[in-house]
Amino acid sequence: MTTDRSPTKPPARRGPSSSRRRSTPLTIAMLAVLAYFLLPLFWLLIASTKSTQDLFNSFGLWFSDAPQLLANVKETFTQDDGVFVQWLLNTLLYAVVSALGAALLAAAAGYGFAKFRFRGDRAAFNLVLGAVMVPTTALAIPTYLLFAEAGLVNTPWAIILPSLVNPFGLYLMRVYAQDAVPDSILEAARIDGAGEARIFFTIALRLLAPGLVTVLLFTLVATWNNYFLPLIMLNDPDLYPITVGLSSWAAQAQNGGAGASSDMLALVVTGSLISILPLVAAFLLLQRYWQSGLAAGGVKQ
């Protein structure tokens, strides 16, 4: 008597998606973090549609009975002979020039630390790492005294030059350049007779583009949101960036100074909403470069 034994099938393997476990507490925590970041933006959007009176008399997270977003935007751009436009252009100038300069300097220095060996290179890089720990506000007063001696106070250079120094950006570029620029390509270029400057600007800089964009975005946001340095460096309202300009409007709204209108506080809120739109656009346009720049250098191949 023979028994027909059919071969047993091995247990089916679960795909990567089926092996994932969902954690309810973790999901709740992530939703709480998401609300923490998005609720202020939602409030700012809602508040920009209200008058100053409605800001205090209506529910903060919903529209009032008489939304007036377009009226607030129009009055923001026309208040004080259109000085808000000047503040916006000043901020754009400070942020773009500082971001481009800081990214280029960080790329050059990071590339140098990653691909060249010289006496004291480790000590110099450790000094850069130590500079990352120094808060920028601690350097504001010494920077002011230095610029006052040089006659650069109350000029755009007083905002741009300090923003060009970015120790954290240099550290990021050094880590990124270590793996993003192969030594074989550099040696081949040197054999072909290319100089070091030509190698950096024509070969290395293209390979460093994702990291360069990352540093550019970080510096752009830091300079755009900078408040304390322009506050102590600038005296002329025509040179104010958005942060200091809106602060002066808020002071007028509280103290009822000259030129203050009844809706000044609503203009401050609307101006704050307008001021973040360029940053949102910059992140959306450069998102793919920014993400790849952050991930690069984190895993050794």
Side-chain angles (χ1 to χ4, degrees):
M1 181 177 180
T2 60
T3 58
D4 187 12
R5 296 181 180 180
S6 59
T8 58
K9 296 182 179 180
R13 295 182 180 180
R14 295 182 178 180
S17 58
S18 62
S19 61
R20 294 176 182 175
R21 296 181 179 180
R22 295 182 179 181
S23 173
T24 302
L26 183 58
T27 302
I28 295 175
M30 293 302 297
L31 290 176
V33 172
L34 183 65
Y36 175 80
F37 285 105
L38 293 184
L39 275 180
L41 295 178
F42 181 72
W43 177 90
L44 183 62
L45 178 62
I46 297 298
S48 299
T49 66
K50 301 180 180 180
S51 63
T52 299
Q53 184 178 3
D54 289 336
L55 285 174
F56 296 98
N57 296 335
S58 61
F59 179 58
L61 294 179
W62 197 243
F63 299 95
S64 63
D65 295 333
Q68 54 176 39
L69 176 61
L70 295 180
N72 287 345
V73 171
K74 181 179 179 181
E75 191 171 353
T76 299
F77 281 104
T78 57
Q79 179 71 22
D80 295 338
D81 298 326
V83 71
F84 181 81
V85 178
Q86 183 65 45
W87 293 341
L88 196 61
L89 293 176
N90 292 340
T91 307
L92 188 65
L93 172 66
Y94 302 153
V96 171
V97 175
S98 299
L100 291 175
L104 184 60
L105 289 177
Y111 169 78
F113 276 116
K115 297 302 176 181
F116 294 94
R117 293 295 173 262
F118 51 91
R119 181 176 299 178
D121 57 343
R122 291 189 177 182
F125 188 69
N126 289 334
L127 184 64
V128 172
L129 293 180
V132 175
M133 305 300 174
V134 179
T136 55
T137 53
L139 301 176
I141 300 302
T143 304
Y144 173 80
L145 297 176
L146 179 64
F147 277 58
E149 290 293 331
L152 296 176
V153 173
N154 204 32
T155 65
W157 295 111
I159 310 301
I160 295 174
L161 291 179
S163 302
L164 296 178
V165 181
N166 190 346
F168 182 67
L170 193 157
Y171 168 74
L172 285 180
M173 292 306 300
R174 193 264 184 188
V175 173
Y176 185 81
Q178 191 71 40
D179 294 327
V181 183
D183 294 334
S184 58
I185 294 181
L186 301 181
E187 292 298 330
R190 293 183 182 118
I191 292 174
D192 290 339
E196 295 299 335
R198 183 181 178 184
I199 293 174
F200 173 72
F201 285 105
T202 61
I203 299 176
L205 203 58
R206 295 182 180 181
L207 297 174
L208 295 174
L212 196 71
V213 172
T214 301
V215 177
L216 186 144
L217 280 175
F218 284 165
T219 309
L220 182 72
V221 173
T223 309
W224 192 281
N225 295 328
N226 199 354
Y227 171 75
F228 189 60
L229 182 64
L231 180 66
I232 67 174
M233 288 290 188
L234 303 176
N235 299 321
D236 187 0
D238 290 335
L239 295 176
Y240 283 171
I242 284 288
T243 51
V244 180
L246 291 179
S247 177
S248 66
W249 274 5
Q252 291 182 22
Q254 293 178 355
N255 302 327
S261 64
S262 59
D263 273 348
M264 184 66 76
L265 190 58
L267 302 186
V268 174
V269 176
T270 306
S272 300
L273 176 66
I274 297 173
S275 67
I276 68 173
L277 296 181
L279 292 181
V280 174
F283 268 87
L284 292 179
L285 292 175
L286 302 175
Q287 184 180 17
R288 61 191 184 99
Y289 296 105
W290 175 59
Q291 290 178 342
S292 61
L294 285 179
V299 179
K300 296 287 185 179
Q301 294 184 356

